[in-house]
Amino acid sequence: MRLWAYCGGRFCYAALLALISLACHAQPVLTPAQALNFRRIADVHFSPDGSQLVYIVQSYSWDWQPHLSLLDVATGKARELTPPKKSERSPQWSPDGKLLAFLSNRGGKTQVYTVHPDGSEATAVTTRKYGVTSFHWSPDGRAIAYLAKDDSAPASDIGPQVADRESDLPRLWVIELTSGMNRRIGITGYQIDEFQWQNPSRILIAANNAPRVEEFIDAVYSISISDSAIKLLSHPPQPFDTLLVSPNGNQFAVRSTRSNGPVARDLFVGSIGREDLHDISAPPDRAVAEVKWHDQSAIWARVIDGFRNRIWRFSPGSAPAPIDMPLSVSSFDISRDGVLAYAGGDFDHLPELYIRAKNGGVRQLTHMQEGWDAIHLASTTIFRTKSFDGTAIESALMRPFAMSPGEKLPLVLLVHGGPSANFSAGYAWDIAWGQILVAHGYEVLLVNPRGSNGYSEDFMKANRGDWGGGDYKDLMAVLDSVLATGEGDPNRLGIGGWSYGGEMSEWAIGQTGRFKAAVAGAGVFDQQAEFETEDGPAGDEWHFGTPWEHPDVFARNSPATYIRHAYTPTLILDGEEDTSNPVGQSKGLYRALKHFGVETEMVLYPGEGHSPRNGAYNIDMFERILNWYDRFLKTAN
C-alpha cells in the first residue's frame, strides 16, 4: 500500500506520518499463532521429463510433520499425497518417471511406498519390523536398496538396553520390485550412514568400521550386490556427507572440508578407482548446502552466502558460475533441459515455489501461505560492522513498519543456533521469533558472529575452543554500533536464542548486566556434562577436545563457570526428550539461577526433542517469550 499526503504544493511529512500511523493501526497485529502459520518447502524434485514436481511441505498446523505434494509445472495445480496426521518424506522418482517412491508411516512403521503420479493408491514396498530409514532406486529401476534394522534385532523400547549392540545397526537390503525378493547385503561391523547406487551391480556407502568410536571416521566403500564383497574407495577429509554418484557411474561427490573444519561445507569430486578426490568449490569459499548431479556436464549446488542462499553451477574446465536469483533459495532442483525449480523467500516474502526458465524469467508456481495478505513483515536492513579486532561481521536489524522520529524502542539481540549455522533472509522459526517481537513494538538485531556458516571457512573456525570469546565480543560490538546510531533503547535490552543461541544468552547474562531480560532455549550450561550425555559428541570434540584431557577448556567455555555473576531475569525453554543438548542442561541453569536469587522460569515440553514440533507447544512458547520481554522491557528501568 502506498500513501501520499499533499500540503500546499509539497508533501507534508507530518500528515504522511499520521496517515501511515492510522494505516498501520488498521492492520491486524501479528499474533504468535499467525507468526507460526506458515508452510516451509523442502526436498524439491523434478520428474525425469520435467513436467511435474514433488516436494515436502511442513507446517506447525501439522506439528511439523512432512507432507508430500505433487505439482503440474504447466498449470501450477498441486495436490497433497499425504493422509491427515501422517508423515511422508524422501520422495524419489523412478528412473523412467512412471512411479514415485517415498517413506511413509501411513501404515504404522515407516516403510517405502510407491505410487503412480496419476493418483492411484500407494503400495507398500517394504514391511520391516522396525521401519526403514532411507532408500534409493537402482539405476535401471528394477530394485530399491534401503537401510533397516534386522527384524530379529531386540526391541529398543523394552527390556535391558545394551550399549553399542551390533544388532542395533541398520543393515543394507535390496528388494527386487517384480519378484519381491528381498535380501540383505551381508556386511557386519559397519555403521552405514549413507549410500548410493554406482550401477545395477554395485553400491557405494559412507560408513565406518568402528561403530563404537564416536568420532568422525567415515570412509567411502564399494559393495558388490552379488557377493557382498566390500572395497575401500576413499578417505575424504572429515567430516563429510551428501554422498552422490555421477550420472555415468564413474565419479562420486561428497560435501567435505578443505581445511579440517567443524562441518562439511565444500564440494569434493573424485573418480571411482582413483585417488584423485579434490575440492571443486574453492573459488566461492562459501558453504555448499545442497547438491544436484543429474547431468555429467555440470553439478548444481545451493550455496550459503551470508544471509542469502544462492545457486552455483560447477562444470569441468570452467570456473564456478553463480546463477542470478531474485530470492534466497531454501531448496531446488534442475530439470534435464536446464529449468530451475526452487523454494524462494526473503525477509519480505514467505516461502513459495518458483520456476526459473533458461532465459532467466521467473514464474511463481504456488500460493500456499494463508492469512498473510494484510500483515506487514518487519522492515529489515542487512549491514556490516567491524568487530573488536577489525573482523567484518554481517548482521540484520528488524524494525517496525512505522516508527516516530527519535522514538526509542526496546531492542532484543537474537543469537542463532549452531554455532556453525547462520541467520538467513527468509521466514523460518527463528525469524518468526523476531517478527512477532517487531510486531509488538521491539527492534530485533540478528548477528552472524565468527563461527557462523555462510562465510569463509577460516571465519567459521575462528571460535574453536573459544565459545563466549571472540563470538561474544562480535555480538557486543554489533550491538554497540547499532545503539551508537540512535537505534534501540540502551536501558531496555533483551537477549535470546535457541541451542547455541540459548547458550550464548546464558553466557551473556554471566558477563554483563546490560540485558534486562533473557530467553534461553535448549542451551548448554555445563560443557563437560553435556559432552558426557549428548547424542553425537564428535562436533564438540572438534571444538574442545575431550573433557578428560582438556577440563580447563570445557570449564572456560561453560556458562556455568560464570553464572554466579548473573542478575538478568531468564526464561528457560526446552523439550523433555532433548538428546542434543540434554534437558539436564536447562535444569542445571534453572537450579543455579534460583540458588543465586535471579528471577527465572523454566518450561519443559513433554515428548519433545531439541526442536519442539507440536504446533500448540510452539504457540505457547511464543506467547511466553513475548510476555517475558514485555514484562521486563516495556518500561524503562
Side-chain angles (χ1 to χ4, degrees):
M1 174 169 52
R2 178 175 293 173
L3 296 174
W4 298 102
Y6 194 80
C7 302
R10 56 181 180 154
F11 292 110
C12 179
Y13 184 65
L16 177 60
L17 283 178
L19 281 173
I20 291 176
S21 178
L22 287 172
C24 290
H25 285 304
Q27 305 298 329
V29 176
L30 184 64
T31 65
Q34 180 62 49
L36 290 162
N37 182 30
F38 69 96
R39 296 184 177 186
R40 178 186 174 189
I41 306 166
D43 209 6
V44 179
H45 295 274
F46 269 112
S47 60
D49 65 2
S51 67
Q52 298 184 85
L53 284 168
V54 64
Y55 50 95
I56 295 295
V57 181
Q58 292 174 289
S59 167
Y60 285 108
S61 299
W62 310 327
D63 294 338
W64 213 241
Q65 297 295 320
H67 286 199
L68 278 181
S69 283
L70 188 64
L71 180 143
D72 181 87
V73 174
T75 65
K77 184 178 180 180
R79 60 187 174 88
E80 190 175 311
L81 303 180
T82 306
K85 298 184 179 180
K86 296 298 180 180
S87 171
E88 296 183 334
R89 57 185 174 87
S90 300
Q92 297 179 33
W93 295 96
S94 62
D96 60 9
K98 295 181 179 179
L99 285 174
L100 179 65
F102 53 91
L103 293 177
S104 175
N105 67 353
R106 61 175 64 196
K109 293 291 184 181
T110 298
Q111 308 290 349
V112 180
Y113 282 75
T114 59
V115 66
H116 290 277
D118 60 8
S120 60
E121 184 65 26
T123 301
V125 174
T126 62
T127 56
R128 307 306 308 186
K129 179 179 178 180
Y130 298 111
V132 173
T133 56
S134 64
F135 76 96
H136 289 289
W137 287 95
S138 64
D140 58 13
R142 297 179 179 178
I144 286 177
Y146 63 92
L147 289 178
K149 283 174 41 174
D150 198 301
D151 288 355
S152 63
S156 59
D157 55 353
I158 57 174
Q161 300 298 303
V162 180
D164 296 324
R165 292 181 299 197
E166 169 75 18
S167 58
D168 288 333
L169 297 176
R171 310 297 189 186
L172 182 61
W173 307 77
V174 172
I175 184 169
E176 296 178 5
L177 298 185
T178 302
S179 67
M181 185 176 73
N182 191 41
R183 60 195 179 94
R184 177 178 146 190
I185 307 302
I187 58 171
T188 60
Y190 287 81
Q191 169 71 52
I192 302 174
D193 295 313
E194 298 183 63
F195 71 94
Q196 291 282 344
W197 290 81
Q198 178 187 351
N199 53 49
S201 63
R202 300 196 72 85
I203 291 177
L204 302 192
I205 63 170
N208 73 73
N209 59 1
R212 292 173 61 94
V213 178
E214 296 179 296
E215 299 174 4
F216 296 132
I217 57 171
D218 271 15
V220 177
Y221 300 86
S222 175
I223 301 176
S224 167
I225 302 299
S226 61
D227 61 8
S228 299
I230 186 169
K231 178 183 179 182
L232 174 65
L233 288 185
S234 177
H235 275 293
Q238 304 290 328
F240 75 90
D241 58 23
T242 315
L243 175 65
L244 293 173
V245 174
S246 64
N248 65 9
N250 294 331
Q251 294 173 288
F252 72 99
V254 294
R255 283 196 318 164
S256 186
T257 167
R258 72 176 68 122
S259 58
N260 188 33
V263 298
R265 47 165 278 151
D266 302 307
L267 184 58
F268 282 67
V269 173
S271 303
I272 296 174
R274 296 172 57 186
E275 295 288 341
D276 62 356
L277 186 68
H278 61 286
D279 179 14
I280 69 168
S281 63
D285 197 20
R286 293 296 183 263
V288 172
E290 184 181 10
V291 184
K292 298 295 174 76
W293 199 357
H294 301 322
D295 184 275
Q296 198 63 35
S297 64
I299 300 176
W300 298 75
R302 175 168 59 89
V303 175
I304 305 172
D305 185 5
F307 277 85
R308 296 187 71 87
N309 283 230
R310 308 181 189 277
I311 302 298
W312 285 71
R313 185 178 189 269
F314 299 89
S315 301
S318 302
I323 308 300
D324 183 38
M325 307 291 280
L327 297 170
S328 185
V329 177
S330 58
S331 182
F332 83 102
D333 197 14
I334 181 78
S335 71
R336 290 176 177 174
D337 59 356
V339 174
L340 271 168
Y342 65 96
D346 58 24
F347 288 121
D348 299 316
H349 298 83
L350 272 70
E352 295 290 356
L353 198 59
Y354 298 83
I355 283 286
R356 182 187 186 277
K358 288 186 291 185
N359 64 6
V362 174
R363 173 167 60 100
Q364 184 173 336
L365 288 177
T366 61
H367 297 82
M368 64 176 59
Q369 310 297 345
E370 300 175 351
W372 288 91
D373 291 344
I375 294 174
H376 285 293
L377 295 176
S379 172
T380 305
T381 303
I382 298 174
F383 62 97
R384 285 180 175 264
T385 305
K386 289 292 181 69
S387 190
F388 67 99
D389 59 356
T391 300
I393 304 299
E394 192 172 39
S395 308
L397 182 65
M398 306 173 73
R399 305 169 80 246
F401 179 70
M403 290 176 59
S404 301
E407 184 179 10
K408 295 286 189 180
L409 297 181
L411 184 148
V412 175
L413 168 64
L414 292 185
V415 189
H416 65 65
S420 302
N422 66 308
F423 283 120
S424 292
Y427 196 93
W429 187 91
D430 53 352
I431 303 302
W433 181 341
Q435 292 284 356
I436 191 71
L437 290 179
V438 172
H440 288 261
Y442 294 83
E443 290 187 88
V444 174
L445 180 58
L446 312 173
V447 182
N448 286 336
R450 67 192 66 202
S452 300
N453 208 356
Y455 304 93
S456 71
E457 190 153 7
D458 287 341
F459 183 87
M460 187 176 63
K461 293 164 60 177
N463 68 339
R464 189 173 195 178
D466 189 39
W467 294 12
D471 48 3
Y472 171 70
K473 292 178 182 178
D474 292 342
L475 297 172
M476 296 302 102
V478 176
L479 176 60
D480 288 339
S481 72
V482 168
L483 294 174
T485 67
E487 299 285 351
D489 185 342
N491 295 314
R492 293 187 291 165
L493 299 177
I495 190 169
W498 199 269
S499 193
Y500 168 77
E503 177 177 351
M504 289 305 295
S505 301
E506 300 172 20
W507 179 274
I509 64 174
Q511 306 295 318
T512 178
R514 68 191 304 187
F515 296 108
K516 308 306 179 186
V519 176
V524 173
F525 182 57
D526 183 323
Q527 292 286 3
Q528 176 163 344
E530 194 252 358
F531 184 92
E532 293 169 343
T533 56
E534 69 179 322
D535 282 350
D540 283 352
E541 184 170 349
W542 183 92
H543 277 98
F544 308 126
T546 71
W548 317 293
E549 296 163 306
H550 304 285
D552 57 323
V553 177
F554 279 75
R556 188 177 70 243
N557 286 269
S558 294
T561 303
Y562 312 96
I563 202 63
R564 69 185 64 191
H565 305 299
Y567 301 97
T568 303
T570 302
L571 172 64
I572 304 165
L573 304 168
D574 206 347
E576 280 194 337
E577 306 302 319
D578 189 347
T579 58
S580 296
N581 293 341
V583 70
Q585 296 293 306
S586 291
K587 292 179 178 180
L589 172 64
Y590 180 62
R591 179 165 292 171
L593 292 177
K594 286 198 302 178
H595 175 77
F596 289 113
V598 180
E599 189 152 8
T600 183
E601 183 176 305
M602 181 174 67
V603 184
L604 304 179
Y605 295 93
E608 296 284 13
H610 189 57
S611 301
R613 299 156 62 96
N614 181 285
Y617 285 166
N618 276 276
I619 293 172
D620 180 81
M621 276 192 284
F622 271 24
E623 289 174 343
R624 292 179 186 275
I625 289 169
L626 181 60
N627 290 337
W628 191 261
Y629 287 130
D630 281 353
R631 178 181 169 189
F632 296 102
L633 300 182
K634 278 302 177 78
T635 57
N637 295 320

